[in-house]
Amino acid sequence: MTETIVEKYWSLIAARHDAQAFSTIDLAYNEPQRAYHAWGHIVDLLTKLDALAHLATRVDLVAAAIFWHDSVYLTRDGDGRPRTDPENVRASAVLFEFHSRFDEVEGQAIHDLIMATAQHMKAKAATEHYPGFSRDLDFFLDLDLSSLAAPWPLFESNLDDIHFEYGWVPERAFYLGRMQMLESFLASGEGLYRLPETRALWLAQARANLLRAEVALRDRLAGPASA
């Protein structure tokens, strides 16, 4: 974990949390069932936020959403039932609210940023909590998908990390699920990234990665069926 970037952005918002907030986040992102949805993902988003801070109206609130948006991440419950992304997102929002000492407007804005990741491609700002909130929501969602534009070796490593998190799922079922995800992202076209600035930075590489991954998954699915 890159301590400096984490400390920089936590210092912006620490006073608006209770005393247990950071230890709660730290325990969460170090859970052994995580690989992609761990500190590395949070550091990546904070690093990009740092580089693109001029695109945000409220950098502090976007940073808070980054810290909390995957604070609860389970691919199945204790009884073995598969866990959906919206369930994790709702639980993450509730965990944020428990530790939050933000004022009502700021807290609701962060809550809505977190909840937007439950729908992602379809999410829209229902309330303009402050001037520029809807753009901050779009920026935050673009940041969350920015890893799709990583250099191919890192993109492939991220897929492997997600596979680890779903290690209990039969391989063929996992590959089919990933294929649906890739196809959904590809079908969004230029809308994969919402802001023109982030689209210019990431769209071409993201689509190249998605197309390459789609071919690889089709090859795997065409082979002998996995257990």
Side-chain angles (χ1 to χ4, degrees), residues 8 13 16 18 24 86 104 106 117 120 145 150 168 185 196 209:
K8 175 179 179 177
I13 57 176
R16 286 172 282 175
D18 68 17
T24 298
E104 183 177 355
E106 291 180 343
T117 64
H120 235 297
L145 292 185
W168 56 274
F185 287 150
N209 286 340

Side-chain angles (χ1 to χ4, degrees), residues 31 36 42 69 84 144 165 206 217:
E31 289 170 344
Y36 176 76
I42 305 306
H69 79 289
T84 66
D144 199 31
E165 294 173 341
L217 280 176

Side-chain angles (χ1 to χ4, degrees), residues 70-194:
D70 283 329
S71 57
V72 177
Y73 186 78
L74 297 166
T75 59
R76 59 176 170 174
D77 284 327
D79 61 3
R81 181 185 66 85
R83 177 106 166 174
T84 66
D85 286 341
E87 287 177 290
N88 285 325
V89 173
R90 283 193 295 272
S92 295
V94 168
L95 190 61
F96 158 71
E97 290 173 339
F98 181 81
H99 292 284
S100 170
R101 299 296 181 266
F102 285 85
D103 68 34
E104 183 177 355
V105 172
E106 291 180 343
Q108 190 58 53
I110 296 164
H111 172 277
D112 287 2
L113 289 172
I114 294 168
M115 288 303 301
T117 64
Q119 303 181 67
H120 235 297
M121 305 309 299
K122 297 179 180 179
K124 293 182 180 179
T127 302
E128 194 74 357
H129 297 292
Y130 54 83
F133 172 74
S134 58
R135 180 178 167 87
D136 279 356
L137 183 142
D138 288 346
F139 177 45
F140 170 59
L141 292 176
D142 284 355
L143 287 171
D144 199 31
L145 292 185
S146 63
S147 63
L148 297 177
W152 174 254
L154 179 55
F155 179 93
E156 196 172 29
S157 177
N158 288 340
L159 288 181
D160 289 341
D161 285 345
I162 293 171
H163 196 176
F164 170 83
E165 294 173 341
Y166 284 89
W168 56 274
V169 177
E171 282 205 342
R172 186 168 183 81
F174 174 79
Y175 292 149
L176 285 169
R178 292 301 95 184
M179 180 65 75
Q180 290 176 350
M181 180 197 73
L182 295 178
E183 289 175 346
S184 172
F185 287 150
L186 285 167
S188 65
E190 291 194 352
L192 181 64
Y193 296 109
R194 294 161 176 247

Side-chain angles (χ1 to χ4, degrees), residues 3-107:
E3 295 288 348
T4 52
I5 200 74
V6 170
E7 289 172 356
K8 175 179 179 177
Y9 282 96
W10 187 253
S11 70
L12 286 178
I13 57 176
R16 286 172 282 175
H17 287 87
D18 68 17
Q20 291 75 42
F22 187 81
S23 61
T24 298
I25 290 171
D26 191 40
L27 284 171
Y29 291 122
N30 281 301
E31 289 170 344
Q33 81 276 7
R34 297 175 184 248
Y36 176 76
H37 295 89
W39 267 122
H41 176 53
I42 305 306
V43 168
D44 180 49
L45 299 195
L46 291 174
T47 301
K48 289 167 180 168
L49 173 63
D50 197 52
L52 299 171
H54 61 284
L55 298 181
T57 300
R58 291 294 304 270
V59 170
D60 56 337
L61 304 189
V62 175
I66 289 172
F67 275 112
W68 287 102
H69 79 289
D70 283 329
S71 57
V72 177
Y73 186 78
L74 297 166
T75 59
R76 59 176 170 174
D77 284 327
D79 61 3
R81 181 185 66 85
R83 177 106 166 174
T84 66
D85 286 341
E87 287 177 290
N88 285 325
V89 173
R90 283 193 295 272
S92 295
V94 168
L95 190 61
F96 158 71
E97 290 173 339
F98 181 81
H99 292 284
S100 170
R101 299 296 181 266
F102 285 85
D103 68 34
E104 183 177 355
V105 172
E106 291 180 343

